[in-house]
């Protein structure tokens, strides 16, 4: 199988490289210079990196971590299943990031397709909306940490912040925020567990697992307060 994949890659790359030889790399990336095989190769490359990009530079990390905390706080084991939580986090990510995607489409993708700007200009324009989104959600302390680790000069404005510094800072900021939300989610369910365990212990019912009883009350509380609406609404508004 690996040999077949390698052969296909060579068949695609060699004619493309030969066709792009007379130009420099930025010129070769221009729409009129891209052969169909090279366009297909670039598309497949972007498609293979898409999951990592979605996790690194969007709201997906915060959403999926909070949903995992919520499931553990409820104590429902594998309900909802991982596929449902990931799908919900993914579609909420598309919803939250829609304004950013629209800006990228209008300022970078569409002008590039219409051959009004070069590939370098399209890349620079396309990263600006993502940079603004990540900077808004990144703590200054986390950003300063990676700037100091990289031994880079202190950026004077947002445009000078490197993506290689911004992305890891954004991710640990998202993880911190997700853990803070998860802690708040745990508190009411933890109180229910403690109350149920205390009542069962005082009644001498030590053989009855408290988890079985508290699970009913936690699900009932979550349904009565319309938990999914509150959690999803709070998560979406936290990015505004």
């Amino acid at each position: 199988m690996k040999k077949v994949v390698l052969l296909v890659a060579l068949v695609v790359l060699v004619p493309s490289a030969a066709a792009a030889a007379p130009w420099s790399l930025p010129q070769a990336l221009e729409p009129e210079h891209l052969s169909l095989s090279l366009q297909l190769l670039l598309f497949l490359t972007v498609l293979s990196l898409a999951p990592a990009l979605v996790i690194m530079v969007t709201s997906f990390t915060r959403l999926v971590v909070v949903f995992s905390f919520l499931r553990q706080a409820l104590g429902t084991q594998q309900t909802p299943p991982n596929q449902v939580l990931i799908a919900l986090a993914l579609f909420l990510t598309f919803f939250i990031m829609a304004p950013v995607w629209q800006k990228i489409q209008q300022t970078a993708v569409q002008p590039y397709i219409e051959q009004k700007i070069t590939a370098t200009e399209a890349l620079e324009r396309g990263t600006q909306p993502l940079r603004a989104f990540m900077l808004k959600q990144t703590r200054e302390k986390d950003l300063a940490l990676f700037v100091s680790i990289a031994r880079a000069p202190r950026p004077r404005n947002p445009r000078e912040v490197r993506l290689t510094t911004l992305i890891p800072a954004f991710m640990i900021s998202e993880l911190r925020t997700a853990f803070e939300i998860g802690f708040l989610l745990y508190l009411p369910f933890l109180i229910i567990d403690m109350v149920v365990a205390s009542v069962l212990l005082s009644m001498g019912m030590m053989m009855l697992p408290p988890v079985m009883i508290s699970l009913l009350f936690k699900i009932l509380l979550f349904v009565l307060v319309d938990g999914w609406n509150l959690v999803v609404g709070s998560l979406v508004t936290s990015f505004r």
Side-chain angles (χ1 to χ4, degrees), residues 124-143:
E124 183 178 354
R125 290 187 183 185
T127 56
Q128 292 308 315
L130 277 177
R131 185 191 300 271
F133 172 80
M134 289 189 288
L135 282 172
K136 186 178 180 180
Q137 307 299 329
T138 303
R139 297 192 310 157
E140 187 175 343
K141 181 179 180 181
D142 295 330
L143 187 59

Side-chain angles (χ1 to χ4, degrees), residues 62-73:
R62 183 189 304 186
L63 296 173
V64 76
V65 172
V66 169
F67 289 152
S68 298
F69 270 116
L70 177 60
R71 185 174 63 183
Q72 292 178 16

Side-chain angles (χ1 to χ4, degrees), residues 49-104:
L49 295 176
L53 292 175
V54 168
I55 292 174
M56 290 190 299
V57 301
T58 65
S59 58
F60 181 82
T61 300
R62 183 189 304 186
L63 296 173
V64 76
V65 172
V66 169
F67 289 152
S68 298
F69 270 116
L70 177 60
R71 185 174 63 183
Q72 292 178 16
L74 283 170
T76 54
Q77 301 299 326
Q78 295 299 320
T79 304
N82 290 331
Q83 294 87 341
V84 174
L85 293 182
I86 293 175
L88 178 59
L90 192 59
F91 279 101
L92 285 175
T93 298
F94 293 151
F95 177 78
I96 294 169
M97 300 298 296
V100 179
W101 303 140
Q102 290 175 0
K103 288 182 181 178
I104 295 175

Side-chain angles (χ1 to χ4, degrees), residues 115-130:
Q115 303 180 15
K116 295 180 179 179
I117 59 176
T118 63
T120 305
E121 291 174 337
L123 182 61
E124 183 178 354
R125 290 187 183 185
T127 56
Q128 292 308 315
L130 277 177

Side-chain angles (χ1 to χ4, degrees), residues 34-53:
L34 288 177
S35 64
L36 180 60
S37 57
L38 186 55
Q39 291 180 28
L40 180 61
L41 178 63
L42 292 175
F43 174 76
L44 293 176
T45 302
V46 173
L47 193 62
S48 63
L49 295 176
L53 292 175

Side-chain angles (χ1 to χ4, degrees), residues 73-231:
L74 283 170
T76 54
Q77 301 299 326
Q78 295 299 320
T79 304
N82 290 331
Q83 294 87 341
V84 174
L85 293 182
I86 293 175
L88 178 59
L90 192 59
F91 279 101
L92 285 175
T93 298
F94 293 151
F95 177 78
I96 294 169
M97 300 298 296
V100 179
W101 303 140
Q102 290 175 0
K103 288 182 181 178
I104 295 175
Q105 174 72 19
Q106 295 171 359
T107 60
V109 177
Q110 196 63 35
Y112 175 68
I113 293 176
E114 296 174 356
Q115 303 180 15
K116 295 180 179 179
I117 59 176
T118 63
T120 305
E121 291 174 337
L123 182 61
E124 183 178 354
R125 290 187 183 185
T127 56
Q128 292 308 315
L130 277 177
R131 185 191 300 271
F133 172 80
M134 289 189 288
L135 282 172
K136 186 178 180 180
Q137 307 299 329
T138 303
R139 297 192 310 157
E140 187 175 343
K141 181 179 180 181
D142 295 330
L143 187 59
L145 170 65
F146 284 95
V147 170
S148 63
I149 292 176
R151 297 181 180 179
R154 183 184 179 88
R156 292 170 294 182
N157 54 66
R159 286 182 170 272
E160 293 186 1
V161 179
R162 299 177 180 177
L163 285 178
T164 53
T165 302
L166 178 58
I167 291 176
F170 168 74
M171 291 191 69
I172 65 173
S173 295
E174 287 293 280
L175 287 174
R176 177 187 171 87
T177 304
F179 273 67
E180 290 175 349
I181 298 174
F183 172 77
L184 296 176
L185 286 174
Y186 250 101
L187 285 180
F189 300 117
L190 179 61
I191 293 174
I192 292 176
D193 284 332
M194 294 174 62
V195 170
V196 171
S198 299
V199 171
L200 292 178
L201 184 62
S202 63
M203 295 174 63
M205 304 175 65
M206 292 178 292
M207 299 301 294
L208 182 62
V211 176
M212 293 181 59
I213 307 301
S214 63
L215 177 60
L216 297 176
F217 288 101
K218 287 190 287 187
I219 294 177
L220 179 62
L221 173 65
F222 193 70
V223 172
L224 288 177
V225 300
D226 199 2
W228 286 112
N229 184 283
L230 290 175
V231 171

